[in-house]
Amino acid sequence: MTKVADQWLRDILILLAQNRTVTRAEILEVTGYNPASVSHALRYLTRAGVILKVGKLESKAGRRQEILQINADAGFLAAIDLEGSKIRFALTNLVGDVRYRWEEEVRVGEALDGRRVVHGLQRVFANLSSEQRGRVLAIGVCHPGFQNRDGCVTAINIGWNDFPIREQLVRAYALPVFLEGAHQTYVQAERWLGTARHARNCVYVIVGQGIGAGCFVDDHLLEGASGVGGEFGHVVSDPEAPDQCTCGRRGCLEAIASAPNIVRQYVEATTRGRSKVMREVDLAFLLDEARHNEPTALKVVDRAARSLGIALSQLVQILSPELIVLGGDIVSGQDLFLPRIRTVLASFVTPKLGDAVRITVSSLGLDIGLKGAAAMAFRRSILDSKLLREQICGPIAAMQRADGRKSRKSSADSSSKPG
Amino acid sequence: MTKVADQWLRDILILLAQNRTVTRAEILEVTGYNPASVSHALRYLTRAGVILKVGKLESKAGRRQEILQINADAGFLAAIDLEGSKIRFALTNLVGDVRYRWEEEVRVGEALDGRRVVHGLQRVFANLSSEQRGRVLAIGVCHPGFQNRDGCVTAINIGWNDFPIREQLVRAYALPVFLEGAHQTYVQAERWLGTARHARNCVYVIVGQGIGAGCFVDDHLLEGASGVGGEFGHVVSDPEAPDQCTCGRRGCLEAIASAPNIVRQYVEATTRGRSKVMREVDLAFLLDEARHNEPTALKVVDRAARSLGIALSQLVQILSPELIVLGGDIVSGQDLFLPRIRTVLASFVTPKLGDAVRITVSSLGLDIGLKGAAAMAFRRSILDSKLLREQICGPIAAMQRADGRKSRKSSADSSSKPG
């Protein structure tokens, strides 16, 4: 019998993970493989327990089409999100549903103790039986800053300088560990579990404490020469702008349109000439003022939206995405920002590219980093031949073989009873 | 015997096409295939006459490493370049050397007669023997404007509206025809035959009559949702600029930094208040004036360089390329433009990304479109399984079989002679 090629398994698993239910005909159409190869791979995956037949579809020609689905709980992924004001931990199934979740506060401005990250993960493992523990495929980590080739992370906001997080997690849990920067993790969450599930060219832009972007280009995660494509916060949207950026330059998008800088401009404008600084202002207050047509708040919102719209127009001219997903603090002000950004964008992009792109807000919420890290770890496990065969298809197949022996044994037991 | 997989052949051919000479050890390292598969594929390609053993390298361990090379003249590609003020035709070998070349004048502003394109190609075929004609693999076309799925081209500057160029060429020459937009063709020429041969993340920016870019992202040609990623000329580099663009908007990079617009600004500045318009000014004149420190010319060059530098900084922030290649009219003013662009770029990009990127000018000259079209057609032929087996490896293998019969026959002849 022909060997089942890794590539067949990969393409089918990724298609199923992305679409939840798929027919055999759809697999043939998307993959372009011959029917014999697909049947062969489907038998292998079904036997391994990774996919399930969930029903039949009556086709027009009268032939019944089997509907296939990934066996969502055939395996688990552990996820850690180090970005932001908390450390978040989760255990998800193969399609990104969070099964166990844990979070811990982080003191802003204080170096994060790596042991807290390693130990924290135990909380989500604590509820698993040893059989379930054996089905955890990998650990995915969404981190701020940069990683090097050895899996060490450098990130100012958690005070890490080449911290060997991968090595420590591997040592503690004996599982494969995959790391990804935050923006890249977010866009993977959108591409595989969120709004961008059908968009091969999509961009996720976070507008929060800072601004950043992750991009899929023709279904390929953009990395670039420096490994950090999408340093979108430091695009100079207005070369003449006086706004000082934390990076030391002026006119960066982030210096005008990040949440703290939106608030800063409002505070500067409203306290001009007054001695009393309005310390109680936050983004929610400012957005409410703008909704009540308070002129200063509206002016600040207009300026930030214009800056975002111009920077997005530059991105659209270069990448021509079909979908832009906005996330972060801006989601709470989408009623104000989205129409303004759309107007600016339309006036600054070539119509052909403007017509092709849709702009929306994220619906993945606070768990986007966890979901993205889990989805990323699952994809990377599929791409690794050893993990694909031994972890994803292996233990499940072994388990089924054990079940088979058990059921054969019990039927043998019952047959030995006097009839 | 195991079948030689298409993918092995593809990966090895592309590696050889890109590096000219490669050792077996390098192939193993880059492809990651097992030694048996590589040996098997190399035997197949050698027998087919597509690759040659050209010598041996003494390795440190004392083992002699065979050096392999693509058999450059094992096949030919026909190329047509429709961009610009001429129609250009060429026949190249497999590594992009132009063997025959022909060009015809096009009247600017007049619709191009498609029959001239079809018939013009005969000129480069005229010198081929029927055996050589049989070794032409495909036709590559570099076109302005856009193509649709049926291979029809729409381009204002040659007056085409859904002109079925692919169909007409296929009908006339019975060869596979591959079309590509000009900017995408140029960057493919640089990536496969030019300065970017080792740059997986590279951008080619043409600054001439217009401005446009083609981009490789992690070795993948950027297409985007609209199929025309890199509409770089219409990036708004300065939202407040008064310069009116041909696209109807203001502040586009092209409206400030294209060759005609550089000249326009100089003419506007020097004739201000005077009745006589300096009609004799062209880019060469202006550049010479700038080289002699004429203030108005310098001011115009500074402004164009700043606009290019800012727009490139936006591109670098988003894509993080390792190499930017500038081509077109700007090459003749590289002494003026390059240092200025580098300074602006450095001040507007994140240092990490700025450090990773190098900026240079194209060395492929006028034939970049022809070379790119030929390289593109060869790559696409390799990717097509039928063409790979029947055209690239097939006729050559058949030819060798015929040669083999001939030489066997001649040795039989000689052996039949009385000894």
Side-chain angles (χ1 to χ4, degrees), chain A residues 10-30:
Chain A
R10 275 178 196 134
D11 288 351
I12 292 171
L13 280 175
I14 285 175
L15 191 67
L16 276 157
Q18 203 129 344
N19 294 275
R20 304 222 164 190
T21 61
V22 174
T23 66
R24 194 172 163 278
E26 285 166 338
I27 294 173
L28 286 170
E29 195 192 321
V30 174

Side-chain angles (χ1 to χ4, degrees), chain B residues 80 87 89 113-123 125 163-165 167-173:
Chain B
I80 305 176
I87 327 176
F89 303 94
D113 184 347
R115 284 170 300 185
R116 285 183 60 194
V117 179
V118 175
H119 295 157
L121 195 59
Q122 285 176 343
R123 301 265 187 167
F125 281 144
F163 183 80
I165 183 66
E167 187 197 318
Q168 296 209 358
L169 286 167
V170 167
R171 200 185 300 155
Y173 297 102

Side-chain angles (χ1 to χ4, degrees), chain A residues 146 200-201 215 217-218 220-240 247 249-250 306 310-311 313-322 345-353 356, chain B residues 146 200-201 215 217-218 220-240 247 249-250 306 310-311 313-322 345-353 356:
Chain A
F146 307 106
R200 290 167 49 86
N201 288 279
C215 311
V217 171
D218 305 321
H220 171 91
L221 180 68
L222 193 156
E223 292 181 342
S226 63
V228 289
E231 275 285 292
F232 188 60
H234 303 283
V235 160
V236 174
S237 59
D238 178 359
E240 313 303 332
C247 75
R249 290 171 299 136
R250 287 176 192 280
R306 180 176 161 83
I310 290 172
S313 81
Q314 294 157 351
L315 185 143
V316 169
Q317 290 296 123
I318 292 164
L319 295 182
S320 185
E322 58 199 278
L345 192 60
S347 74
F348 283 116
V349 296
T350 308
K352 191 180 163 72
L353 304 187
Chain B
F146 307 106
R200 292 166 49 85
N201 288 278
C215 312
V217 172
D218 305 321
H220 171 89
L221 179 68
L222 194 157
E223 293 183 340
S226 63
V228 290
E231 275 286 292
F232 188 61
H234 303 285
V235 160
V236 174
S237 59
D238 178 0
E240 312 303 333
C247 76
R249 290 171 300 136
R250 287 177 192 277
R306 180 175 161 85
I310 290 172
S313 80
Q314 294 157 353
L315 185 143
V316 168
Q317 290 296 123
I318 292 164
L319 294 182
S320 185
E322 59 199 277
L345 192 59
S347 74
F348 283 116
V349 296
T350 308
K352 190 181 165 73
L353 305 187

Side-chain angles (χ1 to χ4, degrees), chain B residues 339-380:
Chain B
R340 285 171 171 79
I341 290 171
R342 286 198 181 107
T343 305
V344 177
L345 192 59
S347 74
F348 283 116
V349 296
T350 308
K352 190 181 165 73
L353 305 187
D355 292 346
V357 69
R358 207 160 51 82
I359 180 163
T360 185
V361 293
S362 175
S363 54
L364 290 178
L366 282 177
D367 282 347
I368 187 168
L370 287 173
K371 283 171 175 274
M376 175 271 294
F378 183 39
R379 268 13 175 238
R380 298 254 203 113

Side-chain angles (χ1 to χ4, degrees), chain B residues 8-237:
Chain B
W8 306 343
L9 300 176
R10 273 177 198 137
D11 288 351
I12 292 171
L13 280 175
I14 285 175
L15 192 65
L16 276 157
Q18 203 130 343
N19 294 277
R20 302 220 167 193
T21 60
V22 173
T23 66
R24 193 172 164 279
E26 285 166 338
I27 295 173
L28 286 170
E29 195 192 323
V30 174
T31 63
Y33 293 136
N34 69 57
S37 304
V38 168
S39 299
H40 198 31
L42 289 178
R43 267 197 305 276
Y44 182 89
L45 289 168
T46 314
R47 267 208 301 268
V50 192
I51 66 172
L52 302 171
K53 294 173 185 170
V54 289
K56 291 201 172 183
L57 192 79
E58 204 72 45
S59 81
K60 280 180 190 163
R63 285 192 60 181
R64 283 154 70 87
Q65 272 277 357
E66 260 169 6
I67 302 171
L68 300 160
Q69 186 179 289
I70 210 154
N71 181 0
D73 291 331
F76 299 109
L77 285 311
I80 305 176
D81 179 6
L82 300 174
E83 177 69 31
S85 58
K86 294 185 171 66
I87 327 176
R88 299 185 171 92
F89 303 94
L91 193 85
T92 80
N93 64 13
L94 297 185
V95 296
D97 301 323
V98 173
R99 307 302 298 268
Y100 299 104
R101 192 183 185 288
W102 174 254
E103 64 180 40
E104 294 185 14
E105 293 291 328
V106 172
R107 276 200 211 156
V108 178
E110 212 169 81
L112 175 62
D113 184 347
R115 284 170 300 185
R116 285 183 60 194
V117 179
V118 175
H119 295 157
L121 195 59
Q122 285 176 343
R123 301 265 187 167
V124 298
F125 281 144
N127 299 304
L128 299 179
S129 69
S130 72
E131 184 273 319
Q132 287 172 316
R133 175 64 178 76
R135 281 193 274 155
V136 179
L137 300 177
I139 301 171
V141 181
C142 166
H143 64 81
F146 307 106
Q147 55 175 291
N148 68 13
R149 281 162 176 261
D150 303 321
C152 300
V153 167
T154 298
I156 297 167
N157 55 334
I158 53 173
W160 283 10
N161 188 11
D162 270 346
F163 183 80
I165 183 66
R166 188 168 72 199
E167 187 197 318
Q168 296 209 358
L169 286 167
V170 167
R171 200 185 300 155
Y173 297 102
L175 282 170
V177 175
F178 301 107
L179 312 179
E180 191 79 87
H183 306 152
Q184 267 82 5
T185 306
Y186 299 157
V187 76
Q188 289 183 70
E190 291 294 342
R191 177 79 187 97
W192 290 324
L193 305 169
T195 321
R197 270 160 68 186
H198 301 286
R200 292 166 49 85
N201 288 278
C202 62
V203 177
Y204 175 91
V205 178
I206 183 156
V207 182
Q209 288 295 305
I211 294 179
C215 312
F216 270 89
V217 172
D218 305 321
D219 214 15
H220 171 89
L221 179 68
L222 194 157
E223 293 183 340
S226 63
V228 290
E231 275 286 292
F232 188 61
H234 303 285
V235 160
V236 174
S237 59

